[in-house]
Amino acid sequence: MTRTKDSIAKAFASAGYIADEGLLTAVLLMEVLARPLLLEGEAGVGKTEVAKALAASEGTDLIRLQCFEGLDRSDALYEWNYQRQLLAIKAHEGQGDPDALESAIFSERYLLQRPLLAAIRSPRPVVLLIDEVDRADEEFEAFLLEVLSDYQVSIPELGTIPATSIPRVVLTSNGTRELSDALRRRCLYHYVDYPDVGREAEILRARVPGIDTAFALQIAELMSRLRKEDLAKVPGVAETIDWAAALTGLGGTHLARDRELVFDTLACVLKTREDRSRITREVTDRLIGKVA
Amino acid sequence: MSQTAASQTAASQTAAFEPGPALRLTLAAFVALLRDKGFRIGPSEAADAGRLVTGAAGQRAATLRPALKALFCGRRSDWVAFDALFDAHFLRKGMKNAVTLAGSAGESGGARTLKQMQDDQAARRSSPALDVSREAEAPEAGEEDPAGTREGASRAENLAETDFRKIRDPELEAEAHRLAERLALVMRRRLTRRDRILSAGPRLDLRRTLRKSVARGGLPLDLVRKGPKLRQLRLVVLLDASGSMNNYTGVFVRFVHGLLDAFRQADAFLVHTRLVHVSSALKERDAARALDRLGLMAQGVGGGTRIGAALADFNRWHAARLLTSRSCVIILSDGYDTGPAEEIGAEMARLARRCRRIVWLNPLIGSDGYAPVAAGMAAALPHVDLFAPAHNLKSLAALEPYLAKV
């Protein structure tokens, strides 16, 4: 074990991510057991941020594969640059050795690396983020499982390409589709919840320059109460950060004293018309009253 | 079983956090307990855990817990349950509670809260012995009777046109259930088929085009295009289980079970005095087991319906997650409602905005002289895309071509 939880916590904090105990353990275990980490949780709790923080804390690159419905191997792994190949064939038509031409057009020069291939061929280990894996189809999930267990890829024209380095893999899921047990079993699991008030205040202090400690705590407290209201779209951590930045930027220092400002800037956290009309002036006042 | 796990814990309690064979035994017992509770833990995870406890992390519960949690959990329900199980096993807290809960699941009588039902269900899943005794009691368990499967074609045809209400003979009823399920299976198979490669479409699939050009000496004559995958139909079924629907619920449940079993994108809800999400129960492969689990979730069925309130619940809590532009909502209800009609109208309007189609199947349409005059039904009607009868199997079968077009 080269790293400890404390050192990971420090590195994460300097990358602007305040991690809790469970996540630190999971990150440590990723290294010890060489397993991918599956993060689940509501949208906006900062799952993607974990991967970014991990890359930043290790000083490596982050390679991101955004999943979507219909994503297939050629989007994720590699593709031949067909246009350039065709041009090369045309250019060499009638001259030279056809075998040489063939091996020339199926070579590195014409290979387009997609995120998965780029991740395992990087000279030093990168962090590979497979974002919203639940959006991809089941077939793709099965394929992913294969790549993640062997860390090698076979390209018919080039043969098997073993990994130059094993990436640290972070998968995120919003739970729009049930993932397979096989994938879940291969991964370490962490459920990312909305941070508690203390941690959210810390996040604000780390991410919003110049914010007052007491004010950060007030905002975090208000957010935790707001999330308990009957909302169509519960605001995430990113919204809190935006809002805190807006409030401080407009000169706010205390929620109860800047009621007008608070109500006017609610647009930072409430993103649907329904929610906007539900959190009226009275509701805002009630929430602020509880915080102060 | 949790009881055996408890005794094993007791035996190894003194040695709980000393590395060595005793700890490994405790760990093995813990893995067995978790598997019993529905955690999916493979041998490689167990081996990794073994490496962890014998390493530095195994010394203290404080470090062991988050490590095992990350390793053994696979989904949110695991995540939520883990801490209590860990405490019970390694720290011997709350074990008594866990045991009594599993033991008390057998007696369920009178009105129960949803929470109680869920608890019972969770407990039942962990006690296979109990399942056996329950299944033996359940009348549906007898349906695997091989003699029952040899029905004549004409009889099946007759049955298909018989109003569910008029089926009194339990044997005929069982047969109707089987037919409903088979019908659903066939429908499901046809509805989930999808096409990917098109002869004409927006995006050129260069990889396949070149592959095809080999036969033409490298000239890309046959163009292959890639269209967006036809997205699968998503089904959401809301099944009214109120008293007035009593005669139909049995067969509808079997129909819905057939649709849901292995249908990836389908969800079902029971609607009575409140909304109950029953997909997990209905996705159970074995029909008898599914019905058994459903029975537990649906205690209190047969009272009045509040469709409006249930729809509001659905719109509020489930719609965003379950509905897409490829969704079809099927409501199986007679439309008799004890809530205000305006509520149904408003909620139906919200629902209609979120999905492709709403199909309302009403078993009463089959009876002569029916008109949708009930206030609730009348309020819902403007938002319904297809209002169809569902009083016999034939009417259910007629639904397929409609669904295939969604």
Side-chain angles (χ1 to χ4, degrees):
Chain A
M1 245 179 274
T2 51
R3 311 211 303 168
T4 64
K5 260 193 265 184
D6 285 343
S7 72
I8 297 176
K10 278 203 197 88
F12 265 56
S14 63
Y17 192 94
I18 312 297
D20 64 15
E21 182 75 15
L23 182 64
L24 292 175
T25 311
V27 169
L28 187 63
L29 283 184
M30 280 174 81
E31 203 165 320
V32 178
L33 302 176
R35 280 173 186 269
L37 173 65
L38 170 63
L39 298 172
E40 262 191 328
E42 301 286 320
V45 291
K47 297 186 293 293
T48 306
E49 291 301 314
V50 174
K52 288 187 188 160
L54 183 62
S57 76
E58 304 208 334
T60 65
D61 291 333
L62 176 75
I63 295 185
R64 177 174 179 162
L65 173 65
Q66 172 68 48
C67 297
F68 53 86
E69 212 172 301
L71 175 72
D72 60 14
R73 301 172 66 114
S74 59
D75 295 316
L77 201 56
Y78 73 95
E79 183 70 286
W80 290 107
N81 192 339
Y82 294 109
Q83 286 89 340
R84 285 193 61 197
Q85 282 177 328
L86 281 174
L87 283 176
I89 294 169
K90 280 280 161 216
H92 291 88
E93 222 165 28
Q95 42 173 301
D97 175 14
D99 284 344
L101 178 62
E102 191 190 319
S103 58
I105 62 167
F106 286 115
S107 65
E108 285 294 313
R109 268 190 76 190
Y110 299 94
L111 189 68
L112 297 173
Q113 290 188 16
R114 302 289 192 226
L116 285 183
L117 188 62
I120 67 167
R121 293 185 78 196
S122 161
R124 36 188 308 237
V126 295
V127 173
L128 171 64
L129 168 65
I130 301 175
D131 216 2
E132 306 191 353
V133 64
D134 51 332
R135 283 177 193 267
D137 302 314
E138 258 141 80
E139 306 90 84
F140 184 76
E141 198 184 302
F143 159 69
L144 203 57
L145 205 61
E146 189 190 317
V147 175
L148 292 187
S149 59
D150 301 344
Y151 290 109
Q152 63 174 29
V153 165
S154 66
I155 299 177
E157 298 85 354
L158 292 182
T160 303
I161 300 184
T164 319
S165 62
I166 306 282
R168 312 276 299 274
V169 185
V170 176
L171 300 104
T172 74
S173 159
N174 288 334
T176 58
R177 175 172 68 76
E178 185 66 9
L179 299 174
S180 76
D181 279 329
L183 183 69
R184 286 178 186 279
R185 228 172 34 212
R186 258 211 66 71
C187 298
L188 295 164
Y189 181 85
H190 185 79
Y191 186 81
V192 189
D193 221 332
Y194 292 110
D196 55 32
V197 174
R199 203 156 70 81
E200 190 154 28
E202 257 186 87
I203 294 171
L204 289 183
R205 277 171 47 214
R207 299 291 288 271
V208 182
I211 194 166
D212 176 56
T213 310
F215 192 42
L217 205 60
Q218 277 188 345
I219 295 174
E221 174 82 15
L222 185 68
M223 284 305 287
S224 116
R225 291 186 187 279
L226 190 63
R227 288 194 184 114
K228 293 195 185 86
E229 293 291 312
D230 187 26
L231 295 177
K233 192 178 174 318
V234 181
V237 181
E239 274 84 9
T240 314
I241 295 172
D242 284 352
W243 193 36
L247 282 172
T248 48
L250 293 172
T253 49
H254 192 279
L255 289 183
R257 259 180 261 138
D258 302 309
R259 276 165 201 274
E260 274 308 301
L261 182 63
V262 171
F263 185 72
D264 292 342
T265 50
L266 271 180
C268 295
V269 282
L270 302 176
K271 302 289 176 71
T272 72
R273 199 170 60 107
E274 240 174 281
D275 289 348
R276 199 64 227 248
S277 61
R278 206 170 283 154
I279 306 298
T280 55
R281 219 166 261 275
E282 289 72 44
V283 177
T284 318
D285 281 347
R286 170 167 62 79
L287 290 173
I288 294 177
K290 279 188 187 162
V291 171
Chain B
M1 287 302 305
S2 39
Q3 280 92 340
T4 49
S7 60
Q8 271 163 321
T9 325
S12 55
Q13 183 206 0
T14 47
F17 292 107
E18 291 158 24
L23 181 55
R24 241 174 277 143
L25 263 184
T26 317
L27 184 69
F30 186 51
V31 169
L33 169 71
L34 291 183
R35 283 192 182 134
D36 236 18
K37 298 279 177 199
F39 284 59
R40 305 291 170 90
I41 301 172
S44 89
E45 285 76 41
D48 275 351
R51 276 173 56 203
L52 282 182
V53 297
T54 45
Q59 308 297 327
R60 290 182 306 117
T63 38
L64 190 58
R65 181 210 298 267
L68 291 185
K69 192 173 184 178
L71 190 58
F72 286 158
C73 289
R75 57 193 69 234
R76 179 143 192 246
S77 55
D78 296 352
W79 188 256
V80 173
F82 184 87
D83 284 339
L85 291 170
F86 182 90
D87 285 349
H89 190 78
F90 285 98
L91 309 175
R92 293 182 43 75
K93 262 189 241 156
M95 198 54 180
K96 220 177 230 168
N97 293 344
V99 174
T100 43
L101 183 69
S104 66
E107 314 89 58
S108 56
R112 304 179 65 81
T113 64
L114 184 62
K115 179 78 185 74
Q116 278 172 314
M117 283 184 247
Q118 283 165 343
D119 286 348
D120 284 1
Q121 218 196 319
R124 271 170 38 68
R125 236 174 292 151
S126 66
S127 52
L130 223 59
D131 286 348
V132 174
S133 62
R134 290 207 130 232
E135 260 159 40
E137 283 163 27
E140 286 82 6
E143 285 191 13
E144 303 309 317
D145 179 10
T149 49
R150 275 185 262 121
E151 77 262 327
S154 64
R155 196 167 158 205
E157 236 163 67
N158 280 339
L159 195 59
E161 292 184 33
T162 314
D163 193 315
F164 297 140
R165 255 182 318 174
K166 305 210 170 91
I167 302 178
R168 284 277 169 264
D169 183 1
E171 200 183 313
L172 270 180
E173 199 179 315
E175 209 164 292
H177 285 185
R178 259 197 312 279
L179 276 175
E181 199 154 4
R182 194 174 317 149
L183 171 69
L185 284 175
V186 172
M187 271 171 75
R188 191 194 75 215
R189 216 165 292 142
R190 289 194 204 144
L191 292 178
T192 50
R193 226 175 23 192
R194 56 179 170 173
D195 270 329
R196 296 166 64 171
I197 305 302
L198 309 172
S199 54
R203 198 151 61 105
L204 204 60
D205 187 340
L206 275 168
R207 183 180 281 213
R208 288 203 172 77
T209 302
L210 281 190
R211 187 76 196 80
K212 281 204 151 185
S213 74
V214 169
R216 311 253 186 198
L219 285 179
L221 289 178
D222 308 310
L223 297 183
V224 183
R225 287 168 201 277
K226 205 163 22 176
K229 271 183 198 171
L230 266 184
R231 290 217 233 141
Q232 244 181 50
L233 170 73
R234 255 192 117 118
L235 272 186
V236 174
V237 184
L238 303 176
L239 175 59
D240 184 346
S242 60
S244 55
M245 289 282 290
N246 251 344
N247 291 320
Y248 301 99
T249 329
V251 74
F252 283 170
V253 165
R254 293 301 286 260
F255 179 66
V256 176
H257 174 255
L259 279 180
L260 252 68
D261 168 42
F263 195 123
R264 276 186 255 143
Q265 304 193 319
D267 278 273
F269 294 83
L270 278 192
V271 178
H272 44 107
T273 44
R274 62 175 175 270
L275 190 73
V276 188
H277 192 183
V278 294
S279 304
S280 61
L282 284 176
K283 281 190 178 168
E284 190 87 54
R285 261 274 139 87
D286 177 35
R289 230 183 114 88
L291 285 182
D292 192 26
R293 279 182 67 180
L294 192 67
L296 267 181
M297 298 173 90
Q299 304 276 343
V301 161
T305 338
R306 292 187 53 225
I307 302 175
L311 283 176
D313 261 7
F314 177 79
N315 283 333
R316 174 87 189 77
W317 298 111
H318 304 282
R321 190 168 44 89
L322 298 178
L323 296 184
T324 68
S325 58
R326 290 268 310 154
S327 293
C328 178
V329 177
I330 300 180
I331 302 174
L332 285 153
S333 168
D334 56 10
Y336 285 126
D337 186 53
T338 51
E342 310 83 66
E343 192 183 10
I344 296 192
E347 294 301 335
M348 284 295 287
R350 286 176 83 180
L351 186 62
R353 276 201 299 272
R354 295 199 96 137
C355 64
R356 174 69 66 97
R357 299 236 170 106
I358 300 181
V359 177
W360 190 305
L361 299 180
N362 190 331
L364 295 182
I365 305 182
S367 37
D368 300 327
Y370 170 79
V373 287
M377 196 65 250
L381 217 47
H383 308 288
V384 172
D385 297 287
L386 177 72
F387 187 53
H391 59 293
N392 58 21
L393 289 168
K394 212 172 169 188
S395 59
L396 286 181
L399 197 60
E400 187 195 323
Y402 184 78
L403 288 180
K405 277 188 298 186
V406 175

